[in-house]
Amino acid sequence: MSYRLIYAGLGLLAIAVVALGVAFAQEGDAVDLPNPIEAVSPLPGDRVIRQTSVQVDLAVGYVADLFVDGFPVDAAFVDATGVYSWSPSPTSPIMTEWSPGEHTVRVEWRRISGSPEFGSFEWTFRVS
């Protein structure tokens, strides 16, 4: 009798593991980012809510300029983490809030130490 309970418990555990794997699996393909960019948010092709902010995480030794829908934005920069972030605000001359639809972000970077290196990366996301 006890071995049946053990098998039933193991079966339920296997079902729970599969369910959690499906629930937490990432959707879509992995994003191939250029070398100095460590992460971006939202990811290319993501659908996001209107309260989202754009974030770009750069490797140490690089600085960047951000452009949203073709306009330069004054992104906040945290030196300790190398993360640039920006979101629309009521005082922004560019955009006071995200409008529904597709938006394009371009980051242009340059190395500030060592040999010169320049580059850019552009992606789009959709606001619901």
Side-chain angles (χ1 to χ4, degrees), residues 32-67:
D32 189 25
L33 298 172
N35 188 23
I37 298 179
E38 296 176 346
V40 296
S41 177
L43 293 172
D46 273 359
R47 294 184 72 99
V48 298
I49 60 175
R50 296 177 83 170
Q51 293 81 7
T52 196
S53 65
V54 172
Q55 294 185 339
V56 177
D57 185 358
L58 280 179
V60 174
Y62 291 86
V63 294
D65 296 312
L66 263 59
F67 299 83

mmCIF file of all heavy atoms in Angstrom, residues 32-67:
data_model
loop_
_atom_site.group_PDB
_atom_site.id
_atom_site.type_symbol
_atom_site.label_atom_id
_atom_site.label_comp_id
_atom_site.label_asym_id
_atom_site.label_seq_id
_atom_site.Cartn_x
_atom_site.Cartn_y
_atom_site.Cartn_z
ATOM 1 N N ASP A 32 20.131 38.297 -29.867
ATOM 2 C CA ASP A 32 21.574 38.397 -30.055
ATOM 3 C C ASP A 32 21.951 39.875 -30.013
ATOM 4 O O ASP A 32 21.708 40.611 -30.968
ATOM 5 C CB ASP A 32 21.971 37.766 -31.392
ATOM 6 C CG ASP A 32 23.468 37.639 -31.547
ATOM 7 O OD1 ASP A 32 24.165 37.588 -30.522
ATOM 8 O OD2 ASP A 32 23.935 37.584 -32.703
ATOM 9 N N LEU A 33 22.524 40.307 -28.891
ATOM 10 C CA LEU A 33 22.880 41.713 -28.703
ATOM 11 C C LEU A 33 24.336 41.940 -29.072
ATOM 12 O O LEU A 33 25.174 41.064 -28.854
ATOM 13 C CB LEU A 33 22.652 42.117 -27.243
ATOM 14 C CG LEU A 33 21.219 42.023 -26.745
ATOM 15 C CD1 LEU A 33 21.160 42.255 -25.248
ATOM 16 C CD2 LEU A 33 20.334 43.008 -27.473
ATOM 17 N N PRO A 34 24.674 43.118 -29.603
ATOM 18 C CA PRO A 34 26.075 43.426 -29.889
ATOM 19 C C PRO A 34 26.911 43.438 -28.609
ATOM 20 O O PRO A 34 26.386 43.650 -27.514
ATOM 21 C CB PRO A 34 26.040 44.809 -30.523
ATOM 22 C CG PRO A 34 24.627 45.198 -30.647
ATOM 23 C CD PRO A 34 23.781 44.190 -29.957
ATOM 24 N N ASN A 35 28.201 43.258 -28.753
ATOM 25 C CA ASN A 35 29.112 43.040 -27.643
ATOM 26 C C ASN A 35 28.998 43.994 -26.451
ATOM 27 O O ASN A 35 28.861 43.522 -25.341
ATOM 28 C CB ASN A 35 30.556 43.019 -28.147
ATOM 29 C CG ASN A 35 31.518 42.610 -27.065
ATOM 30 O OD1 ASN A 35 31.130 41.957 -26.112
ATOM 31 N ND2 ASN A 35 32.764 42.995 -27.217
ATOM 32 N N PRO A 36 29.034 45.310 -26.586
ATOM 33 C CA PRO A 36 29.012 46.107 -25.350
ATOM 34 C C PRO A 36 27.652 46.164 -24.668
ATOM 35 O O PRO A 36 27.555 46.532 -23.509
ATOM 36 C CB PRO A 36 29.443 47.493 -25.799
ATOM 37 C CG PRO A 36 29.112 47.556 -27.232
ATOM 38 C CD PRO A 36 29.243 46.152 -27.756
ATOM 39 N N ILE A 37 26.584 45.767 -25.358
ATOM 40 C CA ILE A 37 25.251 45.783 -24.746
ATOM 41 C C ILE A 37 25.032 44.458 -24.025
ATOM 42 O O ILE A 37 25.079 43.398 -24.638
ATOM 43 C CB ILE A 37 24.151 46.030 -25.786
ATOM 44 C CG1 ILE A 37 24.342 47.388 -26.441
ATOM 45 C CG2 ILE A 37 22.779 45.941 -25.133
ATOM 46 C CD1 ILE A 37 23.314 47.717 -27.491
ATOM 47 N N GLU A 38 24.788 44.551 -22.728
ATOM 48 C CA GLU A 38 24.568 43.353 -21.925
ATOM 49 C C GLU A 38 23.094 42.979 -21.837
ATOM 50 O O GLU A 38 22.760 41.806 -21.709
ATOM 51 C CB GLU A 38 25.180 43.538 -20.543
ATOM 52 C CG GLU A 38 26.689 43.701 -20.621
ATOM 53 C CD GLU A 38 27.353 43.978 -19.291
ATOM 54 O OE1 GLU A 38 26.655 44.308 -18.309
ATOM 55 O OE2 GLU A 38 28.590 43.869 -19.243
ATOM 56 N N ALA A 39 22.199 43.966 -21.899
ATOM 57 C CA ALA A 39 20.759 43.687 -21.841
ATOM 58 C C ALA A 39 19.985 44.908 -22.298
ATOM 59 O O ALA A 39 20.479 46.042 -22.184
ATOM 60 C CB ALA A 39 20.345 43.311 -20.425
ATOM 61 N N VAL A 40 18.794 44.688 -22.811
ATOM 62 C CA VAL A 40 17.862 45.767 -23.137
ATOM 63 C C VAL A 40 16.489 45.373 -22.611
ATOM 64 O O VAL A 40 16.172 44.194 -22.462
ATOM 65 C CB VAL A 40 17.777 46.048 -24.661
ATOM 66 C CG1 VAL A 40 19.093 46.544 -25.202
ATOM 67 C CG2 VAL A 40 17.279 44.847 -25.427
ATOM 68 N N SER A 41 15.692 46.382 -22.321
ATOM 69 C CA SER A 41 14.327 46.162 -21.887
ATOM 70 C C SER A 41 13.484 47.326 -22.387
ATOM 71 O O SER A 41 13.919 48.471 -22.252
ATOM 72 C CB SER A 41 14.258 46.091 -20.365
ATOM 73 O OG SER A 41 12.931 45.952 -19.938
ATOM 74 N N PRO A 42 12.348 47.081 -22.955
ATOM 75 C CA PRO A 42 11.777 45.803 -23.311
ATOM 76 C C PRO A 42 12.579 45.140 -24.430
ATOM 77 O O PRO A 42 13.306 45.811 -25.164
ATOM 78 C CB PRO A 42 10.363 46.144 -23.769
ATOM 79 C CG PRO A 42 10.377 47.592 -24.080
ATOM 80 C CD PRO A 42 11.492 48.209 -23.329
ATOM 81 N N LEU A 43 12.435 43.839 -24.535
ATOM 82 C CA LEU A 43 13.144 43.095 -25.567
ATOM 83 C C LEU A 43 12.548 43.386 -26.938
ATOM 84 O O LEU A 43 11.389 43.784 -27.044
ATOM 85 C CB LEU A 43 13.055 41.594 -25.273
ATOM 86 C CG LEU A 43 13.794 41.126 -24.033
ATOM 87 C CD1 LEU A 43 13.457 39.671 -23.744
ATOM 88 C CD2 LEU A 43 15.288 41.303 -24.195
ATOM 89 N N PRO A 44 13.342 43.193 -27.990
ATOM 90 C CA PRO A 44 12.794 43.377 -29.338
ATOM 91 C C PRO A 44 11.556 42.517 -29.555
ATOM 92 O O PRO A 44 11.541 41.330 -29.223
ATOM 93 C CB PRO A 44 13.944 42.929 -30.243
ATOM 94 C CG PRO A 44 15.178 43.157 -29.428
ATOM 95 C CD PRO A 44 14.765 42.858 -28.015
ATOM 96 N N GLY A 45 10.511 43.153 -30.059
ATOM 97 C CA GLY A 45 9.275 42.449 -30.353
ATOM 98 C C GLY A 45 8.334 42.285 -29.180
ATOM 99 O O GLY A 45 7.226 41.769 -29.347
ATOM 100 N N ASP A 46 8.718 42.715 -27.980
ATOM 101 C CA ASP A 46 7.855 42.576 -26.806
ATOM 102 C C ASP A 46 6.600 43.423 -26.931
ATOM 103 O O ASP A 46 6.597 44.466 -27.589
ATOM 104 C CB ASP A 46 8.586 43.012 -25.529
ATOM 105 C CG ASP A 46 9.375 41.899 -24.884
ATOM 106 O OD1 ASP A 46 9.356 40.769 -25.404
ATOM 107 O OD2 ASP A 46 10.024 42.168 -23.854
ATOM 108 N N ARG A 47 5.544 42.981 -26.263
ATOM 109 C CA ARG A 47 4.328 43.781 -26.066
ATOM 110 C C ARG A 47 4.350 44.210 -24.612
ATOM 111 O O ARG A 47 4.479 43.370 -23.725
ATOM 112 C CB ARG A 47 3.089 42.963 -26.369
ATOM 113 C CG ARG A 47 2.974 42.565 -27.825
ATOM 114 C CD ARG A 47 1.670 41.840 -28.041
ATOM 115 N NE ARG A 47 0.560 42.758 -27.963
ATOM 116 C CZ ARG A 47 -0.045 43.295 -29.027
ATOM 117 N NH1 ARG A 47 0.365 42.987 -30.223
ATOM 118 N NH2 ARG A 47 -1.052 44.138 -28.878
ATOM 119 N N VAL A 48 4.242 45.518 -24.376
ATOM 120 C CA VAL A 48 4.375 46.037 -23.016
ATOM 121 C C VAL A 48 3.208 46.955 -22.677
ATOM 122 O O VAL A 48 2.465 47.395 -23.549
ATOM 123 C CB VAL A 48 5.713 46.813 -22.847
ATOM 124 C CG1 VAL A 48 6.892 45.892 -23.067
ATOM 125 C CG2 VAL A 48 5.784 47.998 -23.781
ATOM 126 N N ILE A 49 3.092 47.262 -21.397
ATOM 127 C CA ILE A 49 2.063 48.191 -20.937
ATOM 128 C C ILE A 49 2.588 49.624 -21.058
ATOM 129 O O ILE A 49 3.776 49.852 -21.231
ATOM 130 C CB ILE A 49 1.639 47.878 -19.487
ATOM 131 C CG1 ILE A 49 2.840 47.981 -18.545
ATOM 132 C CG2 ILE A 49 0.978 46.508 -19.404
ATOM 133 C CD1 ILE A 49 2.480 47.809 -17.078
ATOM 134 N N ARG A 50 1.711 50.578 -20.930
ATOM 135 C CA ARG A 50 2.071 51.988 -21.134
ATOM 136 C C ARG A 50 3.001 52.541 -20.061
ATOM 137 O O ARG A 50 3.626 53.564 -20.260
ATOM 138 C CB ARG A 50 0.805 52.836 -21.210
ATOM 139 C CG ARG A 50 -0.048 52.460 -22.416
ATOM 140 C CD ARG A 50 -1.304 53.222 -22.452
ATOM 141 N NE ARG A 50 -1.036 54.514 -23.061
ATOM 142 C CZ ARG A 50 -1.965 55.365 -23.415
ATOM 143 N NH1 ARG A 50 -3.218 55.089 -23.189
ATOM 144 N NH2 ARG A 50 -1.648 56.508 -23.957
ATOM 145 N N GLN A 51 3.120 51.887 -18.926
ATOM 146 C CA GLN A 51 3.959 52.377 -17.839
ATOM 147 C C GLN A 51 5.403 51.885 -17.944
ATOM 148 O O GLN A 51 6.203 52.117 -17.049
ATOM 149 C CB GLN A 51 3.387 51.935 -16.483
ATOM 150 C CG GLN A 51 2.064 52.557 -16.133
ATOM 151 C CD GLN A 51 0.874 51.860 -16.795
ATOM 152 O OE1 GLN A 51 1.010 50.836 -17.427
ATOM 153 N NE2 GLN A 51 -0.285 52.469 -16.674
ATOM 154 N N THR A 52 5.776 51.245 -19.010
ATOM 155 C CA THR A 52 7.109 50.665 -19.134
ATOM 156 C C THR A 52 8.174 51.734 -19.327
ATOM 157 O O THR A 52 7.886 52.856 -19.735
ATOM 158 C CB THR A 52 7.139 49.649 -20.298
ATOM 159 O OG1 THR A 52 8.284 48.844 -20.166
ATOM 160 C CG2 THR A 52 7.185 50.357 -21.639
ATOM 161 N N SER A 53 9.410 51.369 -19.011
ATOM 162 C CA SER A 53 10.544 52.252 -19.279
ATOM 163 C C SER A 53 11.538 51.500 -20.149
ATOM 164 O O SER A 53 11.602 50.279 -20.134
ATOM 165 C CB SER A 53 11.210 52.714 -17.980
ATOM 166 O OG SER A 53 11.778 51.616 -17.308
ATOM 167 N N VAL A 54 12.316 52.263 -20.906
ATOM 168 C CA VAL A 54 13.354 51.694 -21.757
ATOM 169 C C VAL A 54 14.631 51.625 -20.940
ATOM 170 O O VAL A 54 14.996 52.600 -20.282
ATOM 171 C CB VAL A 54 13.574 52.572 -23.010
ATOM 172 C CG1 VAL A 54 14.767 52.101 -23.804
ATOM 173 C CG2 VAL A 54 12.325 52.596 -23.864
ATOM 174 N N GLN A 55 15.312 50.478 -20.979
ATOM 175 C CA GLN A 55 16.573 50.323 -20.262
ATOM 176 C C GLN A 55 17.608 49.674 -21.166
ATOM 177 O O GLN A 55 17.293 48.752 -21.911
ATOM 178 C CB GLN A 55 16.394 49.477 -19.003
ATOM 179 C CG GLN A 55 15.523 50.135 -17.979
ATOM 180 C CD GLN A 55 15.441 49.340 -16.690
ATOM 181 O OE1 GLN A 55 15.710 48.151 -16.661
ATOM 182 N NE2 GLN A 55 15.080 50.018 -15.622
ATOM 183 N N VAL A 56 18.820 50.185 -21.073
ATOM 184 C CA VAL A 56 19.953 49.621 -21.802
ATOM 185 C C VAL A 56 21.094 49.450 -20.816
ATOM 186 O O VAL A 56 21.497 50.397 -20.151
ATOM 187 C CB VAL A 56 20.398 50.548 -22.963
ATOM 188 C CG1 VAL A 56 21.612 49.980 -23.665
ATOM 189 C CG2 VAL A 56 19.256 50.764 -23.943
ATOM 190 N N ASP A 57 21.612 48.234 -20.724
ATOM 191 C CA ASP A 57 22.714 47.906 -19.821
ATOM 192 C C ASP A 57 23.976 47.744 -20.669
ATOM 193 O O ASP A 57 24.060 46.834 -21.493
ATOM 194 C CB ASP A 57 22.397 46.621 -19.069
ATOM 195 C CG ASP A 57 23.433 46.279 -18.022
ATOM 196 O OD1 ASP A 57 24.431 47.012 -17.883
ATOM 197 O OD2 ASP A 57 23.254 45.256 -17.336
ATOM 198 N N LEU A 58 24.948 48.651 -20.458
ATOM 199 C CA LEU A 58 26.198 48.621 -21.222
ATOM 200 C C LEU A 58 27.340 48.099 -20.374
ATOM 201 O O LEU A 58 27.344 48.254 -19.160
ATOM 202 C CB LEU A 58 26.576 50.037 -21.686
ATOM 203 C CG LEU A 58 25.877 50.586 -22.913
ATOM 204 C CD1 LEU A 58 26.375 51.997 -23.193
ATOM 205 C CD2 LEU A 58 26.090 49.709 -24.117
ATOM 206 N N ALA A 59 28.312 47.522 -21.045
ATOM 207 C CA ALA A 59 29.524 47.069 -20.368
ATOM 208 C C ALA A 59 30.294 48.284 -19.835
ATOM 209 O O ALA A 59 30.128 49.408 -20.326
ATOM 210 C CB ALA A 59 30.393 46.275 -21.326
ATOM 211 N N VAL A 60 31.137 48.047 -18.856
ATOM 212 C CA VAL A 60 31.959 49.102 -18.273
ATOM 213 C C VAL A 60 32.891 49.661 -19.353
ATOM 214 O O VAL A 60 33.435 48.920 -20.168
ATOM 215 C CB VAL A 60 32.778 48.546 -17.093
ATOM 216 C CG1 VAL A 60 33.750 49.579 -16.560
ATOM 217 C CG2 VAL A 60 31.853 48.060 -15.997
ATOM 218 N N GLY A 61 33.067 50.985 -19.355
ATOM 219 C CA GLY A 61 33.966 51.628 -20.299
ATOM 220 C C GLY A 61 33.288 52.182 -21.532
ATOM 221 O O GLY A 61 33.948 52.652 -22.459
ATOM 222 N N TYR A 62 31.956 52.131 -21.580
ATOM 223 C CA TYR A 62 31.198 52.646 -22.710
ATOM 224 C C TYR A 62 30.199 53.692 -22.237
ATOM 225 O O TYR A 62 29.699 53.620 -21.118
ATOM 226 C CB TYR A 62 30.421 51.526 -23.404
ATOM 227 C CG TYR A 62 31.296 50.539 -24.133
ATOM 228 C CD1 TYR A 62 31.842 49.459 -23.466
ATOM 229 C CD2 TYR A 62 31.578 50.699 -25.479
ATOM 230 C CE1 TYR A 62 32.650 48.549 -24.129
ATOM 231 C CE2 TYR A 62 32.387 49.792 -26.147
ATOM 232 C CZ TYR A 62 32.910 48.718 -25.464
ATOM 233 O OH TYR A 62 33.708 47.822 -26.126
ATOM 234 N N VAL A 63 29.883 54.634 -23.115
ATOM 235 C CA VAL A 63 28.801 55.586 -22.882
ATOM 236 C C VAL A 63 27.866 55.506 -24.084
ATOM 237 O O VAL A 63 28.262 55.046 -25.156
ATOM 238 C CB VAL A 63 29.309 57.035 -22.685
ATOM 239 C CG1 VAL A 63 30.117 57.150 -21.406
ATOM 240 C CG2 VAL A 63 30.100 57.509 -23.872
ATOM 241 N N ALA A 64 26.637 55.960 -23.885
ATOM 242 C CA ALA A 64 25.651 55.806 -24.946
ATOM 243 C C ALA A 64 24.734 57.007 -25.045
ATOM 244 O O ALA A 64 24.599 57.786 -24.104
ATOM 245 C CB ALA A 64 24.817 54.557 -24.688
ATOM 246 N N ASP A 65 24.135 57.132 -26.212
ATOM 247 C CA ASP A 65 23.050 58.077 -26.463
ATOM 248 C C ASP A 65 21.842 57.246 -26.862
ATOM 249 O O ASP A 65 21.962 56.310 -27.660
ATOM 250 C CB ASP A 65 23.413 59.048 -27.586
ATOM 251 C CG ASP A 65 24.596 59.930 -27.220
ATOM 252 O OD1 ASP A 65 24.595 60.489 -26.116
ATOM 253 O OD2 ASP A 65 25.514 60.052 -28.041
ATOM 254 N N LEU A 66 20.668 57.587 -26.323
ATOM 255 C CA LEU A 66 19.437 56.871 -26.639
ATOM 256 C C LEU A 66 18.522 57.732 -27.490
ATOM 257 O O LEU A 66 18.424 58.947 -27.272
ATOM 258 C CB LEU A 66 18.690 56.491 -25.356
ATOM 259 C CG LEU A 66 18.888 55.092 -24.801
ATOM 260 C CD1 LEU A 66 20.325 54.820 -24.491
ATOM 261 C CD2 LEU A 66 18.000 54.863 -23.625
ATOM 262 N N PHE A 67 17.863 57.083 -28.433
ATOM 263 C CA PHE A 67 16.898 57.730 -29.308
ATOM 264 C C PHE A 67 15.617 56.906 -29.277
ATOM 265 O O PHE A 67 15.655 55.682 -29.412
ATOM 266 C CB PHE A 67 17.423 57.793 -30.744
ATOM 267 C CG PHE A 67 18.689 58.581 -30.879
ATOM 268 C CD1 PHE A 67 19.918 58.004 -30.613
ATOM 269 C CD2 PHE A 67 18.654 59.915 -31.257
ATOM 270 C CE1 PHE A 67 21.090 58.720 -30.728
ATOM 271 C CE2 PHE A 67 19.824 60.651 -31.376
ATOM 272 C CZ PHE A 67 21.047 60.052 -31.104
#
